[in-house]
Amino acid sequence: MAEASDAALRIVTDVTRAAEIISRISLLFKKGASQRELLDVNEVIEEMIALLRSEAGRYSIAIHSELGSALPKVVADRVQLQQVFMNLMLNGIEAMKDMSTVGELTIKSQRDERGQLLISVVDTGAGLHPGQAEQIFKAFFTSKPEGTGMGLPISRSIIESHGGRLWATARSSPGAIFQFTLPSEGAAHQAA
């Protein structure tokens, strides 16, 4: 009886948490809620590294950045991009925190071949299981005991609402690579 009661309580807690997340996300996409401005993505990356450095340090995870120089700015909602970076970086930290080796999280920014900004978040964690690279973007799918399965679908929605694309690939060595593109101000003018 006690186990059934505990299980029911966990279900109620998880459903309540999911409902809160969905409610917050619906606010993100209501008309007029987005505050887009011309942003330097490297600046946003540096802010998020500073914010999460102590969390990574708790697990002896080093954070590195390889930020491209003279990158064009993007028209984006700063808070939404921060949410994407936070989710991807915390997922990377989570994937490495229980490993016996020292973990490394690397955030890269550069231009891709089409002139868009290409951002990569690379970890040396457990990596992705075969066939999992697309499944992890489905709502409520999670590989973490405490996960809700909403972080990556929300992040993908945010990036797509900005005209970009978010995907994941396994590394040949341990870990995973999460990448997303954003149209740059320069690429937007060239396409017009």
Side-chain angles (χ1 to χ4, degrees), residues 110-184:
Q110 62 193 49
R111 274 188 181 206
D112 72 5
E113 64 281 349
R114 294 180 12 216
Q116 294 187 318
L117 288 183
L118 174 63
I119 309 300
S120 304
V121 178
V122 183
D123 68 64
T124 58
L128 298 171
H129 299 293
Q132 199 179 38
E134 209 36 54
Q135 191 176 10
I136 58 176
F137 291 100
K138 292 182 179 172
F140 303 111
F141 174 84
T142 184
S143 59
K144 300 185 286 188
E146 301 296 320
T148 62
M150 292 302 293
L152 288 173
I154 289 166
S155 294
R156 181 175 262 182
S157 291
I158 290 171
I159 295 303
E160 288 175 352
S161 77
H162 283 78
R165 188 171 78 86
L166 169 64
W167 68 95
T169 53
R171 293 182 66 204
S172 54
S173 55
I177 304 170
F178 286 82
Q179 294 180 294
F180 64 89
T181 57
L182 290 170
S184 66

Side-chain angles (χ1 to χ4, degrees), residues 7-162:
L9 186 58
R10 280 193 307 272
I11 290 170
V12 168
T13 302
D14 288 346
V15 168
T16 303
R17 187 167 24 145
E20 289 172 359
I21 290 168
I22 291 168
S23 174
R24 279 186 266 148
I25 295 313
S26 69
L27 287 175
L28 280 176
F29 295 102
K30 281 193 174 174
K31 208 170 198 165
S34 182
Q35 300 292 320
R36 296 198 182 191
E37 58 184 297
L38 202 55
L39 294 176
D40 178 344
V41 171
N42 285 347
E43 187 180 291
V44 177
I45 291 170
E46 289 169 348
E47 290 169 1
M48 298 314 296
I49 289 172
L51 184 68
L52 296 175
R53 193 172 298 282
S54 64
E55 177 68 12
R58 286 179 49 201
Y59 303 105
S60 301
I61 295 168
I63 299 181
H64 305 286
S65 61
E66 296 175 15
L67 306 181
S69 60
L71 293 177
K73 294 189 177 191
V74 296
V75 176
D77 183 304
R78 178 181 293 274
V79 173
Q80 290 180 2
L81 281 188
Q82 287 172 335
Q83 183 175 356
V84 170
F85 279 115
M86 180 171 284
N87 184 60
L88 296 179
M89 292 170 71
L90 285 175
N91 281 353
I93 292 168
E94 178 80 17
M96 296 182 283
K97 74 178 188 179
D98 294 325
M99 297 186 66
S100 57
T101 58
V102 175
E104 289 187 20
L105 185 68
T106 305
I107 298 88
K108 302 176 184 179
S109 65
Q110 62 193 49
R111 274 188 181 206
D112 72 5
E113 64 281 349
R114 294 180 12 216
Q116 294 187 318
L117 288 183
L118 174 63
I119 309 300
S120 304
V121 178
V122 183
D123 68 64
T124 58
L128 298 171
H129 299 293
Q132 199 179 38
E134 209 36 54
Q135 191 176 10
I136 58 176
F137 291 100
K138 292 182 179 172
F140 303 111
F141 174 84
T142 184
S143 59
K144 300 185 286 188
E146 301 296 320
T148 62
M150 292 302 293
L152 288 173
I154 289 166
S155 294
R156 181 175 262 182
S157 291
I158 290 171
I159 295 303
E160 288 175 352
S161 77
H162 283 78

